[in-house]
Amino acid sequence: MARKQESRYIQYYVGTAAPKLIPQQPKKNKTKLPKVYKQQSYTVQVDPLALGGILVSAVMLILMVVGIFTLRNARQELHTVQEQVSTLQSQNLQLEEDYHSRYDLETVKEAALGLGMIPVEEAQHITISVSAEEFRENTLWERINIFLDGLFA
């Protein structure tokens, strides 16, 4: 065989064979997000509305107990006052009997006649008639005048 021709592949470069220099830019720091802290969770073991209801009911219970004691005291006071009234009524009846027993109507009548008093039957009755004054409504100006007179008097 014949000699093979050596074939060479020639590479042709356009430009320079020097490697391109890429200007190095300063490294950018990656944006850091703020750290996420785990928030403490507060758990309420008691419902505030239920606690408020319990407090209101406790206050109402206390007020009812105080009201019961106040009512009991008022009833005792009423009973005491009723006993005093009944005692005073019986004492009044006894005093009226004593009063009526100590005077004599005949002696009182004789004393009154001696002083010049007369019996009701012998008194002269006179009827007097009085005419009522006619009522007249004041006008607006008269009312204003009366108001101002009273204001500056």
Side-chain angles (χ1 to χ4, degrees):
M1 267 196 121
R3 245 178 144 191
K4 286 188 177 178
Q5 285 184 350
E6 282 186 37
S7 45
R8 263 189 190 189
Y9 294 102
I10 300 172
Q11 296 179 355
Y12 295 98
Y13 294 107
V14 177
T16 63
K20 286 187 179 178
L21 291 176
I22 300 174
Q24 289 200 353
Q25 297 177 353
K27 290 184 178 179
K28 292 182 181 179
N29 291 336
K30 291 184 179 179
T31 306
K32 291 183 179 179
L33 296 175
K35 290 184 178 180
V36 177
Y37 294 107
K38 184 177 179 183
Q39 292 182 350
Q40 291 181 349
S41 62
Y42 298 103
T43 56
V44 178
Q45 300 295 332
V46 178
D47 186 21
L49 190 61
L51 184 63
I54 291 169
L55 285 175
V56 167
S57 64
V59 168
M60 287 177 63
L61 178 66
I62 291 169
L63 290 175
M64 284 181 63
V65 169
V66 168
I68 288 171
F69 283 120
T70 305
L71 180 64
R72 197 177 104 209
N73 290 340
R75 285 185 178 169
Q76 287 176 352
E77 196 173 317
L78 174 67
H79 182 69
T80 305
V81 169
Q82 284 177 342
E83 286 178 356
Q84 288 177 351
V85 166
S86 65
T87 304
L88 289 174
Q89 283 177 345
S90 64
Q91 187 179 5
N92 187 28
L93 288 175
Q94 182 183 4
L95 289 175
E96 280 182 1
E97 289 174 7
D98 289 346
Y99 175 72
H100 290 300
S101 66
R102 291 188 184 211
Y103 70 88
D104 184 23
L105 287 178
E106 290 299 320
T107 56
V108 172
K109 187 175 182 182
E110 289 174 5
L113 290 175
L115 291 173
M117 294 184 181
I118 60 170
V120 176
E121 297 83 26
E122 294 177 10
Q124 182 182 7
H125 295 283
I126 301 172
T127 305
I128 300 173
S129 62
V130 180
S131 62
E133 184 180 324
E134 186 176 318
F135 179 72
R136 177 178 73 85
E137 179 112 11
N138 293 333
T139 63
L140 177 65
W141 292 111
E142 289 175 342
R143 285 187 281 168
I144 291 173
N145 191 16
I146 292 170
F147 172 73
L148 291 176
D149 285 344
L151 187 64
F152 296 113

